[in-house]
């Protein structure tokens, strides 16, 4: 899920239609119908700047207190390593929807526990950006009981809030993005402006 540091690159680096959503095919967002966490922070940079920097997932360890590394697996899949001190947990995440300057949705690919998430970018009246993160935890087995408790939800919300504040300080300190990925993703697939030419079944053989 890491988008490379290239604003012009066409290949990258976690569900119903909402009211007011465009129906021309430019934005088909799969909103979360339910959530355990919803946190918003306002940052003093334009939407384009905030969104561009957010797509640089490899930079998350520079400001995050829990993200230790992000590795590219496939065009829309990344492996994230999180942890405190010597404790580490590695899991894969797939971006399922992405609209430049507006929206990004992902889902965890791990089996236990799993999660879904989305982040929205909206302009503020002061020329900044309101960033909203929503997450739905989907644990299996006994872990499901913990997720139902208000304490678990508050702990997750506090963590998300802290990470948003860290991002705010990071991007406001930079003043401009360090890179960008401006592509669109639909149902876990990168959308290309032009259809790809047919490929030979034999590697590196020309077609036609």
């Amino acid at each position: 899920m890491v988008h490379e540091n290239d604003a012009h690159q066409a290949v990258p680096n976690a569900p119903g239609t909402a009211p007011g959503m465009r129906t021309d095919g430019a934005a088909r967002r799969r909103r979360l119908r339910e959530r355990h966490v919803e946190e918003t922070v306002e940052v003093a940079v334009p939407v384009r700047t905030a969104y561009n920097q957010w797509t640089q997932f490899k930079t998350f360890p520079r400001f995050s207190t829990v993200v230790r590394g992000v590795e590219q697996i496939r065009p829309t899949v990344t492996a994230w390593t999180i942890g405190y001190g010597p404790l580490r947990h590695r899991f894969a995440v797939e971006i399922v929807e992405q609209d430049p300057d507006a929206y990004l949705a992902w889902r965890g690919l791990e089996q236990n526990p799993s999660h879904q998430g989305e982040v929205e970018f909206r302009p503020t009246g002061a020329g900044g950006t309101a960033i909203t993160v929503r997450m739905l935890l989907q644990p299996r087995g006994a872990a499901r009981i913990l997720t139902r408790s208000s304490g678990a939800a508050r702990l997750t919300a506090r963590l998300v809030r802290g990470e948003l504040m860290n991002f705010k300080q990071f991007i406001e300190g930079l003043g401009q993005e360090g890179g960008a990925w401006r592509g669109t993703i639909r149902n876990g697939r990168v959308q290309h402006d032009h259809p790809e030419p047919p490929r030979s079944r034999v590697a590196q053989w020309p077609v036609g």
Side-chain angles (χ1 to χ4, degrees), residues 1-3 10-14 57 71-80 92-98 104-107 109 181 184-191:
M1 194 173 63
V2 176
H3 297 329
V11 177
N13 123 88
F57 301 124
E71 178 187 354
Q72 179 81 49
I73 303 299
R74 295 196 300 273
T76 60
V77 177
T78 48
W80 293 65
V93 171
E94 178 188 30
I95 292 184
V96 292
E97 301 289 330
Q98 186 165 339
L104 185 152
W106 72 90
R107 67 186 183 102
L109 299 179
W181 186 76
T184 299
I185 295 173
R186 294 281 180 260
N187 297 315
R189 298 176 64 88
V190 178
Q191 304 299 294

Side-chain angles (χ1 to χ4, degrees), residues 33-182:
R33 295 183 177 180
E34 57 179 314
R35 65 189 70 92
H36 287 111
V37 173
E38 179 172 344
E39 295 291 332
T40 299
V41 68
E42 292 189 8
V43 299
V45 297
V47 167
R48 186 180 180 94
T49 300
Y51 172 86
N52 285 348
Q53 185 59 52
W54 190 279
T55 64
Q56 301 304 288
F57 301 124
K58 284 183 178 179
T59 68
F60 271 52
R62 294 177 57 185
F63 62 83
S64 172
T65 58
V66 295
V67 179
R68 296 294 176 252
V70 184
E71 178 187 354
Q72 179 81 49
I73 303 299
R74 295 196 300 273
T76 60
V77 177
T78 48
W80 293 65
T81 300
I82 62 174
Y84 287 104
L87 301 177
R88 294 289 186 273
H89 175 60
R90 189 174 186 270
F91 58 94
V93 171
E94 178 188 30
I95 292 184
V96 292
E97 301 289 330
Q98 186 165 339
D99 292 303
D101 300 333
Y103 182 79
L104 185 152
W106 72 90
R107 67 186 183 102
L109 299 179
E110 73 274 28
Q111 294 299 313
N112 188 21
S114 188
H115 72 287
Q116 297 180 52
E118 62 185 8
V119 55
E120 286 187 304
F121 302 83
R122 303 183 307 278
T124 65
T129 305
I131 304 175
T132 298
V133 172
R134 303 181 186 92
M135 291 181 61
L136 173 64
L137 307 179
Q138 299 175 300
R140 306 290 193 273
R144 186 176 303 174
I145 300 175
L146 295 176
T147 305
R148 290 178 182 152
S149 71
S150 59
R154 286 197 300 269
L155 178 62
T156 304
R158 189 159 57 245
L159 177 61
V160 171
R161 178 70 179 177
E163 294 295 84
L164 281 173
M165 293 302 296
N166 290 340
F167 179 78
K168 171 183 171 68
Q169 295 176 1
F170 180 69
I171 187 57
E172 289 182 351
L174 291 176
Q176 61 182 12
E177 63 269 43
W181 186 76
R182 305 290 302 174

